[in-house]
Amino acid sequence: MRTARRLSNMPDKDAGTPRVFLYRHGETEWSKSGRYTGSSELELTEHGAKQVIASGKILVGPGKLIDPEKLARVYISPRRRAGKTFDLAFSDSDKQRLRDARKVSETDRIAEWDYGKYEGLLTKEIRALRGKHGLDTSRSWDIWVDGCEDGESPEQVAARVDSLIAEIRSIHQGNMHGENPSDVLLVAHGHLLRAFTKRWLGYPMGFPLSMMLEPGAVGVLSYQHHSIDEPAFLVGYGFPLHE
């Protein structure tokens, strides 16, 4: 797959191929400090709100990368920070049209990883705690392999993500050349969206695929060759020239 795409339109060979947009919520005090934030309800910081507004102005709206008219579904995590991100990224009129069309829904399937005993901790604190519990004697803790004490395992996260992927593929099936609006937007969290990406590409959760997604940032998944059997991620978009 080519590594560059137009901001608002794919090249002709890819035109109409459905996409999944991954919109991470803006910064919170805990994301800023690196604390694991699962079920805790933290508000966006002032900077976090600005992150979302800035990306929304560039990427969201008629004729832009995330065009409301091309969206078939918007899935939002039930956490308030995700809902606020959606509210800030979209205009009031676009939000109302999407809701009137019943395209917007909250789902626990993209709630952040349940960190259990590790909620609110830093990575170094988690590793120290696990050491006290007699864990990780031969290697350091890896959430993608080990999961969280009293929280979710990688397999549990994969199961709920896989359920949503199957639902999205059913939307995309039969629309691989743009027959109907079929783009999908997920508004969720850092670990969850990276887990979604691994599973979208067919990798096991423990596969060592290093990914970064900043607060307020947007990632893009799609398919190669208009094929539902060739899921892919877009490494980058190219900005079109303006005459």
Side-chain angles (χ1 to χ4, degrees), residues 21-241:
F21 301 112
L22 313 177
Y23 210 138
R24 185 182 176 189
H25 66 75
E27 177 192 82
T28 68
E29 287 297 338
W30 280 11
S31 69
K32 181 180 178 180
S33 63
R35 296 190 178 278
Y36 285 69
T37 318
S39 59
S40 297
E41 292 286 17
L42 274 72
E43 304 296 337
L44 302 185
T45 63
E46 181 179 353
H47 180 64
K50 290 179 179 178
Q51 289 173 322
V52 174
I53 292 169
S55 57
K57 284 182 178 178
I58 296 171
L59 300 176
V60 180
K64 297 182 180 179
L65 178 65
I66 305 175
D67 188 333
E69 291 298 321
K70 295 181 180 180
L71 289 173
R73 297 285 191 281
V74 177
Y75 296 100
I76 305 174
S77 161
R79 302 285 79 80
R80 285 202 303 266
R81 55 195 182 273
K84 184 64 173 180
T85 295
F86 174 67
D87 286 341
L88 291 173
F90 283 76
S91 70
D92 290 342
S93 59
D94 284 338
K95 284 183 290 189
Q96 192 59 53
R97 280 193 290 270
L98 287 166
R99 289 188 170 116
D100 288 345
R102 298 184 178 181
K103 293 183 176 181
V104 181
S105 61
E106 286 189 359
T107 174
D108 286 330
R109 288 177 292 179
I110 54 170
E112 183 58 296
W113 201 307
D114 180 352
Y115 296 124
K117 290 181 179 179
Y118 308 154
E119 183 78 4
L121 300 183
L122 300 170
T123 298
K124 64 180 181 180
E125 294 171 335
I126 294 170
R127 287 177 172 161
L129 178 64
R130 289 176 65 86
K132 291 178 181 178
H133 295 167
L135 301 171
D136 309 327
T137 56
S138 61
R139 59 170 176 79
S140 296
W141 171 68
D142 181 350
I143 192 172
W144 301 103
V145 176
D146 304 313
C148 303
E149 294 177 86
D150 293 343
E152 284 185 296
S153 68
E155 293 76 19
Q156 288 171 314
V157 175
R160 56 186 173 95
V161 165
D162 287 352
S163 169
L164 183 56
I165 289 174
E167 186 173 311
I168 292 171
R169 295 260 164 85
S170 71
I171 295 169
H172 289 167
Q173 186 74 51
N175 293 300
M176 297 304 291
H177 291 82
E179 290 85 348
N180 296 288
S182 52
D183 286 344
V184 171
L185 171 65
L186 310 184
V187 187
H189 313 270
H191 260 128
L192 188 285
L193 292 174
R194 283 178 280 162
F196 186 95
T197 299
K198 284 189 178 185
R199 298 304 299 146
W200 180 265
L201 298 173
Y203 294 130
M205 292 285 276
F207 185 81
L209 180 64
S210 295
M211 294 170 282
M212 298 173 67
L213 185 62
E214 295 181 351
V218 175
V220 188
L221 303 173
S222 189
Y223 305 88
Q224 295 191 81
H225 311 126
H226 300 282
S227 172
I228 197 82
D229 297 318
E230 297 184 65
F233 65 89
L234 281 79
V235 175
Y237 268 80
F239 287 85
L241 293 175

